[in-house]
Amino acid sequence: MRLVIFGPPGAGKGTQAQLLRERYKLKHISTGQLFRAAMKADTPLGRSVQSYVSEGRLVPDEVVWDMTRDALEEIEADQFILDGYPRTVNQAELFEQFLKKENKPLSALISLEVSPEVIVERLSRRRVDPETGNTYHLDFNPPPAEVAKEDLIQREDDQPASIRQRIQVYDKETAPVKAFYEERNLLYRIDGEGTIEEVQTGIVEALSAVESSR
Ligand code: AP5
Ligand code: MG
């Protein structure tokens, strides 16, 4: 399967992608994670995207596409779940041309639908383990006993000003990507407001329809 997981900041893309990766044996490519790793390693790419990511603005399309294409080529554009790309209609077009050239059509774009209130609730209480990169939520997905809460950190872009900026960017530039995939009959809207398990069940049901229609 070749999947995109899509949705506003904090919708649960990373959480669900991780579960889908295990269930379907997919490679998980998260553009946000690739940028954060590059920033941590202080590479030229990391330095060039630092201000965009920390302020919650979109990294320019050419930069993000170069990185995403490399990651896709490395896995021969197969059995993947792409998380955080595409985020503009232009990015969707670049991706489509690439998949066409590779003769590897997309199976589905899964769009997690959540309200702005839920986004704020999820992001403001999200915590990350700096050692493992595992993501938790202080109320809804607490860390296991062996992980000390004091060692967990907040993502730099989970401060209120960056959260507001990310929601605005999503509404203006990213949400229109859904129409692009709807026209191609690849859009699957999933209610993202249930528990992690309920959302996963919704996605798996949608994907079983995708698999049986192929
Ligand atoms: P990115 O890292 O992709 O951030 P994002 O899209 O804002 O999404 P998040 O990672 O914040 O949320 P998520 O949907 O993965 O939710 P999560 O599963 O963690 O991108 C960061 C930045 O990189 C961008 O702002 C931009 O600057 C740049 N960038 C990346 N891609 C780009 C691109 N294509 N073009 C340009 N720039 C790009 O869940 C959130 C919290 O909720 C967690 O605490 C989790 O435990 C909890 N949770 C999850 N599901 C549930 C549930 N069902 N119930 C209760 N709690 C839940
Ligand atoms: Mg994420």
Side-chain angles (χ1 to χ4, degrees):
M1 266 191 298
R2 288 177 285 273
L3 303 175
V4 170
I5 189 135
F6 183 89
K13 300 182 293 296
T15 303
Q16 296 298 329
Q18 186 68 22
L19 297 170
L20 294 168
R21 179 182 76 88
E22 288 159 21
R23 184 184 287 264
Y24 297 105
K25 307 277 172 274
L26 304 174
K27 291 129 199 159
H28 176 202
I29 300 174
S30 157
T31 49
Q33 254 174 34
L34 290 173
F35 285 140
R36 283 185 290 279
M39 282 161 31
K40 198 172 174 193
D42 200 26
T43 65
L45 173 70
R47 286 194 288 277
S48 75
V49 303
Q50 171 80 47
S51 65
Y52 293 101
V53 175
S54 57
E55 290 164 22
R57 292 180 293 128
L58 289 184
V59 172
D61 287 349
E62 319 77 65
V63 177
V64 65
W65 173 239
D66 277 354
M67 178 185 76
T68 308
R69 190 194 49 227
D70 286 350
L72 287 166
E73 281 175 348
E74 208 167 291
I75 58 161
E76 297 178 349
D78 235 338
Q79 303 303 321
F80 64 78
I81 180 154
L82 186 54
D83 159 6
Y85 189 99
R87 266 170 142 104
T88 63
V89 172
N90 182 44
Q91 290 184 14
E93 281 165 353
L94 291 166
F95 182 43
E96 184 177 65
Q97 285 159 18
F98 169 83
L99 291 178
K100 209 177 234 168
K101 187 168 69 54
E102 300 284 321
N103 201 17
K104 301 272 171 76
L106 191 69
S107 312
L109 179 133
I110 299 154
S111 173
L112 299 177
E113 310 281 323
V114 297
S115 64
E117 297 75 45
V118 169
I119 296 174
V120 173
E121 184 182 55
R122 289 192 184 165
L123 292 183
S124 53
R125 304 271 289 162
R126 171 164 63 186
R127 296 292 183 273
V128 181
D129 185 332
E131 291 295 312
T132 60
N134 290 341
T135 294
Y136 302 104
H137 189 282
L138 293 178
D139 310 307
F140 307 133
N141 184 21
E146 64 273 18
V147 176
K149 281 206 180 100
E150 315 73 78
D151 295 341
L152 302 178
I153 56 166
Q154 244 186 319
R155 254 169 61 174
E156 205 179 344
D157 58 349
D158 280 349
Q159 300 304 324
S162 295
I163 295 178
R164 276 196 300 278
Q165 171 72 17
R166 285 155 68 204
I167 296 174
Q168 270 178 23
V169 167
Y170 175 81
D171 288 342
K172 186 158 167 266
E173 303 195 49
T174 306
V177 169
K178 278 196 265 187
F180 181 94
Y181 287 95
E182 192 162 32
E183 280 167 23
R184 289 153 177 79
N185 285 325
L186 290 170
L187 174 69
Y188 293 80
R189 293 177 201 267
I190 304 290
D191 178 1
E193 296 203 348
T195 63
I196 293 173
E197 294 71 28
E198 284 164 353
V199 177
Q200 179 72 189
T201 302
I203 298 174
V204 170
E205 277 170 15
L207 288 179
S208 67
V210 171
E211 281 188 304
S212 60
S213 71
R214 286 191 307 166

